[in-house]
Structures are given as structure tokens and as C-alpha cells.
């Protein structure tokens, strides 16, 4: 919804957003490609201007909801007719359009409840009205990713909290050597560290949210929160699994599910290492990834 809201025409907003808000239409966001993830500028998906619209060819990968979506936002390179240079543009595509297919990615060990798909575009013809008119270049999709990363920074704290509470309750009932394992200093140290990191992450989210409300937050600050909170959440999930012992890998407890999912979250919407470099550039002014 965000790219249509931020970059679409008023007609596009009125046509899609109310239905998407009600759940009558499901959307997906197509940026990542099989060979171009951290470097989206290298994308090979192309759009070609034709008389009554555009024709798109290419493929996208790891697209959430792609198979079940009614609408796909697809980013592609389009040659500017005036300058002859390529520019990245966004298109709203009806997934029933001829030449569009979205096979689901099966055999996942992480995010198993989420539909993950490939988007295949073979001579997909869209009308002129499919083009998002109010953005050009990478700032379009990257602006969308900033919104997604903001949400991830909050979501992973919830996963960390679930793991912490599960481990804390388990530690009070699991008896070993005649007393609850939660009475041992080693376990208490783990729980204290978990609580400390969760509290710091919560405060980071609160401040980030306040800055977003004031429209003062920067992409680098969102990267900082996404990077930090994903890292501490994954570490907390691993520590919680350790406290639960063998029970930690069973479906009776939520810890292993969160741990497997967080392994993906650690990578998607910008890998941990890429966010590290984003912060490095913010500090030094020197882009290490170029």
C-alpha cells in the first residue's frame, strides 16, 4: 500500500487503497531478483514503452504473498525517451495479466506460515495508468523498504519477548539438582541479559516512533534499529532455547519457531551486514559498498 500511497496518482490511490485496507485486495512488492538482492540497482527486469503502455520482462524472487496477491508492485528499468538512460520505475500490475505468473517457493525451514514466491514476467503488457507517476530512481523502492524496516524493528521485539517469557516461566518450573533451574546464577544471568536487551530495544522503538511522527527520522536511524533489534532478538531466541534444553526444539514452546523465523528476518529487508555499512556511511560519509 505504501508505494501507491506515496508515489501513486490520486486515481490509483482511490482505486486500490480502500480495497487493500479492507483486505479485498492483497498486494505484493517485487524488488529483489534471483541475482540482485543487496544491490537492487543491478536489476535486469525491464519495462519497454509501447504505444498504449508498457511491456515488462524479468523475474523477482523471495516475494511475500506473491502467489496469492491480486496486485503486484514491480520495479523495473525503463529507458528514458529523452535522455536514453535507464531509470528505475514502479508499476502496478494486475496479477491476472497475461504473461504474469507467481510460483510459490516451497521447502522452507523459516517463515513457513508465509507465502513466498517468485514473480515471472514474460511480455507482460500493462496500460499507461500502471506506472507510478510520482517517483523515479532507487529512492522509490528504498523509501518503501524504510517503512518496512521500521515495522520489523518493532516486530522482532515481540518475538524476543515471547522467547524471554517462555524461558523465564520454564526456569521456575524445571527442577534440576533439587531446585528450579531459575534459581541458578547462570540462568539468572541469561534472563537478566535478555530483559536488559529487550528493554533497550523497546526504548529504541519508542524513540524511533516519536521521530517518525515528527517526520524527522532518517533511513540510517531506521537501519540502526532494524540491525540492533534483529540481532538481539535472534540472540535471545538462542539463549531461550538453551534454557529450555531439549524441550526448546519442540512445538510445545514457541522458541524454535521464533528462532527459525528470526534467521530470515536477520537477512531480509536489508541484510545485517548491509545495514552495518549503511551506518558506516552515515558516520564517515564514505560508502563502502560502492
Amino acid at each position: 500500500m505504501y508505494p501507491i500511497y506515496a508515489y501513486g496518482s490520486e486515481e490509483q490511490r482511490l482505486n486500490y487503497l480502500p480495497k487493500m485496507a479492507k483486505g479485498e485486495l492483497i498486494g505484493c512488492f517485487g524488488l529483489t531478483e534471483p541475482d540482485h538482492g543487496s544491490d537492487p540497482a543491478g536489476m535486469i527486469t525491464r519495462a519497454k514503452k509501447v504505444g498504449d503502455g508498457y511491456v515488462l520482462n524479468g523475474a523477482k524472487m523471495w516475494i511475500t504473498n506473491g502467489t496469492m496477491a491480486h496486485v503486484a508492485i514491480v520495479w523495473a528499468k525503463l529507458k528514458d525517451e529523452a535522455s536514453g538512460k535507464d531509470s528505475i520505475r514502479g508499476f502496478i500490475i494486475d496479477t491476472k495479466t497475461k504473461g504474469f505468473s507467481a510460483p510459490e517457493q516451497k521447502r522452507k525451514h523459516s517463515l513457513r506460515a508465509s507465502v513466498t514466491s517468485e514473480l515471472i514476467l514474460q511480455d507482460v503488457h500493462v496500460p499507461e495508468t500502471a506506472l507510478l507517476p510520482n517517483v523515479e530512481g532507487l529512492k522509490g523502492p528504498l523509501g518503501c523498504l524504510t517503512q518496512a524496516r521500521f515495522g520489523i524493528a518493532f516486530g522482532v521485539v515481540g518475538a524476543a519477548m515471547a522467547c524471554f517469557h517462555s524461558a523465564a516461566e520454564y526456569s521456575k518450573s524445571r527442577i534440576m539438582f533439587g531446585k528450579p533451574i531459575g534459581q541458578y546464577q547462570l540462568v539468572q544471568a541469561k534472563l537478566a541479559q535478555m530483559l536488559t536487551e529487550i528493554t533497550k530495544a523497546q526504548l529504541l522503538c519508542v524513540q524511533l516512533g516519536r521521530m517518525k511522527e515528527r517526520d524527522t527520522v532518517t533511513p540510517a536511524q531506521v537501519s540502526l534499529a532494524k540491525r540492533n533489534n534483529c540481532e538481539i532478538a535472534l540472540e535471545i531466541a538462542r539463549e531461550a532455547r538453551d534454557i529450555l534444553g531439549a524441550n526448546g526444539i519442540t512445538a510445545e514452546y514457541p522458541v524454535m519457531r521464533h528462532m527459525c523465523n528470526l534467521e530470515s528476518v536477520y537477512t531480509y529487508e536489508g541484510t545485517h551486514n548491509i545495514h552495518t555499512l549503511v551506518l558506516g556511511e552515515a558516520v564517515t560519509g564514505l560508502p563502502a559498498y560502492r
Side-chain angles (χ1 to χ4, degrees):
M1 292 176 69
Y2 179 80
I4 296 175
Y5 170 76
Y7 310 131
S9 66
E10 188 62 20
E11 181 181 357
Q12 289 170 337
R13 295 187 189 110
L14 292 174
N15 187 35
Y16 293 104
L17 295 184
K19 294 176 184 178
M20 296 178 82
K22 293 177 183 178
E24 295 173 1
L25 289 180
I26 296 173
C28 67
F29 181 88
L31 176 63
T32 297
E33 297 189 354
D35 296 318
H36 299 281
S38 295
D39 181 18
M43 71 172 65
I44 59 175
T45 298
R46 298 198 66 88
K48 182 180 180 181
K49 184 74 177 74
V50 294
D52 56 347
Y54 304 89
V55 173
L56 285 83
N57 282 280
K60 302 294 180 179
M61 193 64 180
W62 309 116
I63 309 304
T64 299
N65 288 343
T67 305
M68 60 196 299
H70 305 97
V71 179
I73 305 297
V74 173
W75 301 91
K77 285 182 176 177
L78 174 67
K79 183 170 290 188
D80 185 271
E81 293 181 347
S83 67
K85 295 181 179 179
D86 286 337
S87 179
I88 293 173
R89 303 299 301 266
F91 297 86
I92 306 173
I93 301 179
D94 184 331
T95 58
K96 292 187 177 67
T97 304
K98 182 181 178 181
F100 183 99
S101 60
E104 185 176 352
Q105 179 70 38
K106 301 287 190 178
R107 298 173 60 82
K108 296 186 300 178
H109 290 297
S110 179
L111 299 176
R112 288 166 58 86
S114 175
V115 174
T116 306
S117 314
E118 183 179 7
L119 306 184
I120 300 173
L121 301 101
Q122 296 178 313
D123 292 328
V124 174
H125 186 280
V126 297
E128 190 79 44
T129 54
L131 179 71
L132 292 173
N134 297 323
V135 72
E136 186 174 342
L138 268 180
K139 66 180 180 180
L142 293 183
C144 299
L145 295 184
T146 297
Q147 305 301 314
R149 292 161 180 166
F150 176 87
I152 289 169
F154 282 75
V156 294
V157 177
M161 291 167 64
C163 292
F164 166 75
H165 287 302
S166 182
E169 289 302 308
Y170 183 86
S171 74
K172 291 184 283 186
S173 61
R174 174 67 169 176
I175 307 300
M176 192 60 58
F177 299 111
K179 62 181 181 180
I181 62 172
Q183 195 170 341
Y184 289 99
Q185 292 179 356
L186 284 173
V187 174
Q188 290 191 2
K190 292 178 184 291
L191 294 172
Q193 184 64 18
M194 289 182 193
L195 180 61
T196 300
E197 292 302 325
I198 288 172
T199 303
K200 287 158 62 178
Q202 289 172 329
L203 292 171
L204 184 57
C205 284
V206 168
Q207 178 63 7
L208 195 70
R210 288 171 175 166
M211 295 174 69
K212 194 173 192 299
E213 287 181 337
R214 296 195 298 266
D215 199 27
T216 60
V217 71
T218 68
Q221 289 165 334
V222 175
S223 285
L224 187 150
K226 193 272 183 185
R227 177 182 181 275
N228 177 80
N229 292 5
C230 287
E231 182 175 40
I232 67 100
L234 184 54
E235 186 58 34
I236 286 168
R238 289 168 175 163
E239 290 285 23
R241 209 291 307 164
D242 181 68
I243 290 173
L244 269 66
N247 285 320
I249 70 168
T250 68
E252 184 178 352
Y253 300 91
V255 173
M256 196 68 182
R257 171 169 58 85
H258 285 302
M259 188 195 305
C260 289
N261 289 343
L262 287 166
E263 286 288 355
S264 290
V265 183
Y266 189 81
T267 300
Y268 75 35
E269 303 290 359
T271 69
H272 185 82
N273 288 338
I274 289 295
H275 285 298
T276 300
L277 299 183
V278 169
L279 294 179
E281 181 180 7
V283 172
T284 65
L286 304 171
Y289 42 81
R290 292 178 187 159

